[in-house]
Amino acid sequence: MINHDDALKAVANSLDRPSAARIYDYFIGGNTHYAIDRDFAEKVRARLPLMGDYCLTSRQFLGRAVRQCVREGIRQFVDVGSGLPTAGNVHEVADDASPRLDTRVLYIDNEPIALAHSTLLLADTADPERHHAIAADLLQPDDLWERVKASEIINVREPVALVINAVMHFVKDEQNPDRLLEYYRTRLAPGSLLVLSQMTNENPVNEDERQALLDLLEYYETTTNPGFLRTMTEFERFFGGWPLLEPGLVYAPAWHPDEHTVFAGSPSESRVIGGVARKP
């Protein structure tokens, strides 16, 4: 765990370009972002006016998925690419869903700035016996999984919810996401759940939206995390054929919507797809 002073230094040294994690935080109404992030976000919003709602869709899906995982008996969560602690953190949702406070959450991110903010912000809301944030990279699976095992938070011999929410659109096909996801799936104990979501370029409503999504990718090339969009078919393979919980891989607002779900009446407008699968 990064110490408090180092965390403050990391934040101060991170302001030379927009941070994908802080941009997301801005879009969902958080307060951990700076002028460089807000300026970038508003540039995106000018091209894709609903971008904030897309990000909120991802965050809401995360909360509903965590609640479902708890209902399915899961008490351990590994949140890879967790970004910044903000509204609706996994540990807060899990504790609300399981008032016995018997859930454990390990947050993982490869951005030093995200870990720095996690160190500062988790101190206010987390139980240090059950909630940790560590540095590791999804793209370096051996190292990441060794750090999970060494964390003393997660027992990898028991079922785990592996959460990779709003992350895979930052992994390009040339980075071999199939190999990465296969690696993580093989490490999970039977009964584990895999929670995945990402932005999609499935069926743009018109040529302007198709071009706007291409422009979005071009914009993100200037941030800490360039992007890559996928269709439903291209994304479903990441579940490795595991049985999907109902209702399957869908537009995120169609996945167990509640009274707060944005785009509940028109899920395909959300530009976000997601699902949860169980390891046999």
Side-chain angles (χ1 to χ4, degrees):
M1 177 77 73
I2 188 172
N3 66 46
H4 188 274
D5 290 340
D6 288 342
L8 290 175
K9 290 177 183 177
V11 171
N13 292 333
S14 71
L15 302 180
D16 59 329
R17 58 179 172 157
S19 158
R22 293 195 307 256
I23 294 163
Y24 181 77
D25 179 73
Y26 174 72
F27 273 131
I28 65 173
N31 56 16
T32 309
H33 41 74
Y34 299 92
I36 192 170
D37 309 302
R38 294 189 290 272
D39 290 345
F40 177 90
E42 290 307 323
K43 175 183 176 182
V44 171
R45 200 196 303 271
R47 190 67 183 93
L48 279 169
L50 294 178
M51 187 65 183
D53 290 331
Y54 301 159
C55 293
L56 181 58
T57 292
S58 294
R59 195 67 178 180
Q60 291 181 337
F61 169 77
L62 172 66
R64 299 195 306 276
V66 169
R67 289 185 181 279
Q68 185 63 35
C69 288
V70 171
R71 287 193 287 266
E72 297 285 337
I74 296 293
R75 292 298 181 269
Q76 302 186 103
F77 294 83
V78 176
D79 186 0
V80 180
S82 53
L84 301 172
T86 188
N89 298 305
V90 170
H91 71 276
E92 294 169 327
V93 176
D95 280 354
D96 185 63
S98 181
R100 294 177 60 184
L101 305 183
D102 55 352
T103 57
R104 300 185 300 282
V105 180
L106 184 64
Y107 293 104
I108 301 176
D109 206 282
N110 70 329
E111 280 198 80
I113 184 59
L115 181 63
H117 283 298
S118 294
T119 299
L120 298 173
L121 298 177
L122 284 178
D124 295 331
T125 65
D127 177 351
E129 297 296 317
R130 299 186 294 117
H131 311 133
H132 284 188
I134 64 172
D137 191 338
L138 174 76
L139 303 181
Q140 299 179 20
D142 288 308
D143 176 71
L144 185 148
W145 203 248
E146 285 303 314
R147 292 174 186 242
V148 170
K149 292 191 292 185
S151 70
E152 299 184 353
I153 289 287
I154 302 298
N155 179 358
V156 298
R157 294 182 296 275
E158 298 294 330
V160 172
L162 178 62
V163 178
I164 308 177
N165 183 63
V167 172
M168 294 307 295
H169 47 237
F170 295 124
V171 181
K172 298 185 177 182
D173 276 354
E174 54 262 38
Q175 294 170 295
N176 205 348
D178 299 272
R179 179 187 63 83
L180 290 170
L181 269 297
E182 181 181 16
Y183 178 97
Y184 293 116
R185 291 193 307 266
T186 62
R187 267 58 184 184
L188 294 173
S192 292
L193 296 176
L194 178 61
V195 180
L196 297 176
S197 77
Q198 81 153 79
M199 277 194 68
T200 181
N201 54 2
E202 181 97 6
N203 296 327
V205 296
N206 53 39
E207 178 60 24
D208 183 65
E209 185 179 39
R210 186 193 70 80
Q211 185 59 51
L213 293 170
L214 292 174
D215 292 344
L216 176 68
L217 298 180
E218 182 178 343
Y219 293 168
Y220 267 84
E221 287 292 327
T222 67
T223 73
T224 55
N225 296 92
F228 189 89
L229 304 183
R230 295 181 175 89
T231 65
M232 289 265 195
T233 299
E234 291 168 338
F235 188 65
E236 187 170 15
R237 70 187 197 266
F238 296 149
F239 291 102
W242 289 3
L244 285 153
L245 302 189
E246 291 296 333
L249 174 59
V250 294
Y251 286 100
W255 203 90
H256 299 282
D258 57 28
E259 66 274 18
H260 305 295
T261 302
V262 294
F263 297 112
S266 52
S268 65
E269 294 181 12
S270 72
R271 293 284 114 216
V272 180
I273 55 177
V276 180
R278 186 191 308 278
K279 184 169 185 176

